[in-house]
Amino acid sequence: MSLFYAYHNPMVKTVVDSASQFARDSRNEPLVLDCISALAAGSFNTVKQGKSDSPESERLCVLVLATCCILYDWISPQGVGSAQSSIDVKAVLDM
């Protein structure tokens, strides 16, 4: 079951649609998911370790992390909550 059924705002819809189409058309879905996971990991570590310069940059990292989770969930056939996901969604939700 997908964790995110609805689009959160028009920008997220545009990003999800574009990334999903790119992953399908390029037939590089695993590479796209790896890139999303790397971006999520960087954002997660920045917030978790308190390395952001300001509250605004920390908020940006949280938004990037949430968007990465949404993207991964829409693109991956198993979803972000599966055991095969390279994003630790439990750690993200505990943060």
Side-chain angles (χ1 to χ4, degrees):
M1 178 191 315
S2 178
L3 181 61
F4 306 100
Y5 283 114
Y7 295 110
H8 300 278
N9 61 47
M11 183 63 178
V12 171
K13 179 184 180 345
T14 302
V15 170
V16 167
D17 290 346
S18 298
S20 298
Q21 182 177 355
F22 174 76
R24 278 191 313 272
D25 293 349
S26 68
R27 294 182 180 86
N28 285 325
E29 184 177 294
L31 295 175
V32 172
L33 292 175
D34 285 347
C35 289
I36 293 170
S37 298
L39 185 58
S43 298
F44 178 80
N45 289 331
T46 299
V47 173
K48 183 88 171 171
Q49 296 172 5
K51 292 187 175 183
S52 59
D53 296 339
S54 66
E56 292 83 14
S57 64
E58 184 172 342
R59 183 176 185 277
L60 177 64
C61 287
V62 170
L63 292 173
V64 168
L65 181 58
T67 304
C68 287
C69 290
I70 293 167
L71 274 172
Y72 195 99
D73 195 57
W74 276 90
I75 294 173
S76 173
Q78 292 82 24
V80 74
S82 73
Q84 294 86 13
S85 172
S86 54
I87 296 177
D88 186 3
V89 75
K90 290 178 185 176
V92 171
L93 294 175
D94 284 342
M95 186 169 51

